[in-house]
Every structure is written in structure tokens, then in C-alpha cells.
């Protein structure tokens, strides 16, 4: 249990108007959570302070060797006024898995969730309520030793910042085009692909730029060794429905284990659909498409929840899925998960936590 000191701002910012487009990750609330780590002392000085700049030496390790991690989840306002979080302990556990891989000290799951709840409570009035909007929560840890040698830092900062975010789809769910990357790779087994860390994102940018230039919204990564097996999309896991079977790549060590991915698997199974977590090759997808068996493709992640894929481009082939429209399972998953997150649909899996 953390002892969190709270210093409230004396100059609250103007909150966005109810009808103002929020976009993603551009507006920040009045406060932030911050906690230090010092070797020998552990995590200490948990506090909530006014949102502010931090000052660090140019020699700070995070700037040079990328020892940092992040998480992403959301707080939602239910119609009855309750503030809800979706499976935050999954983020806390995943955070510690990331930390172990990156030699960052772990944070007890209870403390992590307590910190999230505390900062969300303080800035609860910032949670937007227009359809599809939410308060994005960004916990992250950076290495703060002033040192240019390569070793794990002995000091860290854990911070949580909050950003009111707009509806991912301004006019309802809409399908995206995806570029299957066959030149660059994002991650390999044994690397850091299953950790949520900036390094994976910088590795993805060149392909992302290329995909955008070609008119595609996102990149789908193939495995780093044979460039043959499907891995995941930029910041989303990927699902296929082929001949009635839901298939997603197994967590093989180079794929990020998404909370939304796990929720989609559990929901599909609870509806009696066959679900397979296994290796799936791009040839299998191509073959399924050619024979008319590729029924639906969708990405899963906290930001978009469900992102239907209308078009897959692989080398010179363009595979159009569902005539570029939204599949019924994609729509049902979106409606159910967002319904549970907003407290509108019965939470039979016990996924929702109230912030009191
Ligand atoms: C965060 C992330 C996801 C999605 O995870 P969720 O917990 O569902 O938001 C997928 N892939 C990558 C690379 C990610 O960083």
C-alpha cells in the first residue's frame, strides 16, 4: 500500500469543451503521479503533483540507451456517473514482465493499480463523456542515473499522465487498410518484442512512413526470421476469421500480449466460437482469401478496441475483406467490449473496476 502525498494545483487549466474534438494524446490533465526508485531504498516518495515539466541532466541514461517502458489503458465515465477502469491489473502485471526484460525494478501490482486509481480520482472531472471518448492513462518508467556507461540504472522515475482522448472513429467503426511489411522487421524471439517499450516503436517507424506514403493506415509485421508468419500490427494484435474459426498468432515471445487480445479470445470462447492461437503464415491468409474463406480480419488494442481491416496489401496483391466493410463478429466484439467498459453490459468476466 503506497502512502501517496497529494499537492493540488492552484491554477487549474481550462478543460476542453464537451463538443471539442480531442484527438489523441495532445491534451493533458491538471495533475500527474510520480514516484522515485533508488537502489537500496526501493520505490519511494509516491506523490500526485500539478502536471509540470521535469528537469533532467543531458547525461540521464534514458536519453542514451532507451531504458524505459510504458503502458496504456483508459478510464471511462459510465452513464450513472461511476468512473470505470478495464482490467488494470493486467497492465500492472504486463508492466512487471516488461520491467524484468529491461532490468527495471518491478512495482507490486496492488501499488500500481492504487497509483492509477489515485491519479484518475484526482482528475476524474477530466474524463470526457461524449460517445467513444475516454481518459487515456499513460504510466511509464525512465532510467535516471547520470551516466554514459552501459548498465541498468540504479535510479528511476515512475510517472502516470492522463489525456482526454477523442473517439477513435469519429463516425462509428470504420475499416482500415493494412500494409504487410516484407522488408523491415520489428522484433525477433529473444528480443524485446513482448515488452512494451519505446525501442519497438522506433524500430517500426520507417515501415510506418512507407505504409503511409502508399496510403495504408498501419503496418502488419511478419516474423523476423522467415518473414512468413503473421505477428501483429503496429500497436495492435491481429485476428482472422477463416471458415468460421477465429485465429490469432500465438504469443511466441516477439508479440505484445494485449489486454484486448485476451478479452477477445475469452469473449469468442464464451460465445462458443472455435478459437486457435497458433502460427499462421501469410500464404495461409492469401490462400483463404483466394478461396473465399477469409471472412473477417480485425486488430485489437486499447486505443481503437476493435479495428476492422478492410484491405490487406502484400507485395503486389491487394486482398479486400468483407467488400471493405465491417464483419458482424468485429462489430459484435466492439459493441460488447465497449459496452462492458462503459458499464452498459453485464460484466460477467469481472473485468471492470470502479474508481472510488
Ligand atoms: C500496447 C500494444 C498492443 C495492444 O495491447 P492492449 O493491451 O490491447 O492495448 C499491441 N501491440 C503492441 C506492440 C503494443 O504496444
Amino acid at each position: 500500500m503506497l502512502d501517496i502525498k497529494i499537492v493540488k494545483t492552484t491554477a487549474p487549466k481550462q478543460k476542453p469543451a464537451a463538443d471539442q474534438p480531442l484527438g489523441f494524446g495532445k491534451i493533458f490533465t491538471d495533475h500527474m503521479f510520480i514516484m522515485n526508485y533508488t537502489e537500496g531504498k526501493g520505490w519511494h516518495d509516491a506523490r500526485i503533483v500539478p502536471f509540470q515539466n521535469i528537469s533532467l541532466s543531458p547525461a540521464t541514461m534514458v536519453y542514451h540507451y532507451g531504458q524505459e517502458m510504458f503502458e496504456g489503458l483508459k478510464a471511462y465515465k459510465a452513464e450513472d456517473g461511476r468512473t470505470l477502469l478495464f482490467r488494470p491489473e493486467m497492465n500492472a502485471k504486463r508492466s512487471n514482465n516488461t520491467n524484468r526484460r529491461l532490468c527495471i525494478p518491478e512495482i507490486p501490482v496492488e501499488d500500481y493499480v492504487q497509483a492509477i486509481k489515485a491519479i484518475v480520482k484526482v482528475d476524474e472531472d477530466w474524463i470526457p463523456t461524449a460517445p467513444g471518448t475516454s481518459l487515456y492513462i499513460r504510466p511509464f518508467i525512465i532510467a535516471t542515473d547520470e551516466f554514459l556507461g552501459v548498465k541498468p540504472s540504479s535510479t528511476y522515475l515512475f510517472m502516470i499522465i492522463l489525456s482526454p482522448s477523442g473517439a477513435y472513429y469519429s463516425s462509428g467503426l470504420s475499416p482500415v487498410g493494412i500494409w504487410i511489411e516484407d522488408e523491415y522487421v520489428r522484433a525477433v524471439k529473444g528480443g524485446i518484442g513482448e515488452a512494451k517499450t519505446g525501442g519497438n516503436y522506433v524500430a517500426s517507424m520507417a515501415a510506418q512512413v512507407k505504409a503511409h506514403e502508399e496510403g495504408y493506415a498501419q503496418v502488419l509485421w511478419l516474423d523476423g526470421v522467415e518473414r512468413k508468419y503473421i505477428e501483429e500490427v503496429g500497436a495492435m494484435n491481429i485476428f482472422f476469421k477463416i471458415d468460421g474459426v477465429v485465429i490469432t498468432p500465438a504469443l511466441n515471445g516477439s508479440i505484445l500480449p494485449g489486454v484486448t487480445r485476451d478479452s477477445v479470445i475469452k469473449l469468442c470462447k464464451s460465445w462458443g466460437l472455435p478459437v486457435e492461437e497458433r502460427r499462421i503464415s501469410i500464404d495461409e491468409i492469401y490462400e483463404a482469401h483466394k478461396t473465399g474463406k477469409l471472412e473477417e480480419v480485425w486488430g485489437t488494442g486499447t486505443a481503437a478496441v476493435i479495428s476492422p481491416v478492410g484491405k490487406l496489401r502484400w507485395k503486389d496483391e491487394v486482398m479486400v475483406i468483407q467488400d471493405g466493410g465491417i464483419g458482424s463478429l468485429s462489430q459484435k466484439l466492439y459493441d460488447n467490449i465497449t459496452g462492458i467498459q462503459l458499464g452498459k453490459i453485464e460484466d460477467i468476466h469481472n473485468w471492470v473496476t470502479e474508481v472510488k
Side-chain angles (χ1 to χ4, degrees), residues 64-77:
H64 303 276
Y65 309 119
Q67 197 191 11
E68 73 89 36
M69 64 80 55
F70 68 92
E71 269 298 329
L73 67 162
K74 287 171 168 180
Y76 310 85
K77 206 52 155 171

Side-chain angles (χ1 to χ4, degrees), residues 94 186 196 201 232 234-237 256 258-260 300-302:
R94 182 170 70 189
R186 172 188 172 271
K196 208 167 174 78
Y201 282 78
E232 62 172 312
M236 289 193 289
N237 297 109
L256 202 284
V259 176
T260 322
T300 66
T302 294

Side-chain angles (χ1 to χ4, degrees), residues 174-178 216 289 294 296-299 307-313 318-327:
S174 69
V176 294
I178 294 229
Y216 288 80
H289 180 258
L294 182 57
E296 293 186 41
V297 182
W298 67 91
S307 188
V309 176
K311 200 165 68 165
L312 281 171
R313 155 91 178 254
V318 176
M319 298 175 245
V320 174
I321 299 127
Q322 281 280 340
D323 288 327
I326 301 166

Side-chain angles (χ1 to χ4, degrees), residues 13 15-16 20-33 51 71-76 85 116 119-120 123-129 132-140 159-168 302-303:
K13 294 185 258 191
K15 293 186 183 67
Q20 180 183 329
L22 299 169
F24 175 78
K26 291 188 287 200
I27 301 166
F28 300 97
T29 64
D30 277 327
H31 299 89
M32 61 199 260
F33 174 90
F51 187 93
E71 269 298 329
L73 67 162
K74 287 171 168 180
Y76 310 85
L85 300 173
I116 290 173
I119 182 66
V120 169
D123 279 339
E124 195 171 22
D125 291 348
W126 282 83
I127 305 175
T129 54
T133 62
S134 57
L135 185 69
Y136 185 77
I137 305 168
R138 169 53 60 85
F140 64 108
M159 288 175 273
I160 306 173
I161 56 176
L162 307 173
S163 176
S165 294
Y168 198 84
T302 294

Side-chain angles (χ1 to χ4, degrees), residues 23-80:
F24 175 78
K26 291 188 287 200
I27 301 166
F28 300 97
T29 64
D30 277 327
H31 299 89
M32 61 199 260
F33 174 90
I34 184 163
M35 176 163 79
N36 295 72
Y37 178 89
T38 310
E39 209 167 75
K41 196 169 169 188
W43 290 104
H44 61 92
D45 287 297
R47 58 212 186 266
I48 288 170
V49 295
F51 187 93
Q52 60 194 271
N53 291 351
I54 53 170
S55 174
L56 295 168
S57 157
T60 303
M61 286 183 74
V62 66
Y63 296 139
H64 303 276
Y65 309 119
Q67 197 191 11
E68 73 89 36
M69 64 80 55
F70 68 92
E71 269 298 329
L73 67 162
K74 287 171 168 180
Y76 310 85
K77 206 52 155 171
E79 267 168 16
D80 59 11

Side-chain angles (χ1 to χ4, degrees), residues 1 14 26 56 64 86-87 107 146 174 180 203 278 310 345:
M1 185 80 178
Q14 178 87 43
K26 291 188 287 200
L56 295 168
H64 303 276
F86 186 71
R87 310 184 77 185
I107 297 174
E146 295 172 19
S174 69
I180 302 177
R278 62 170 170 87
I345 292 183

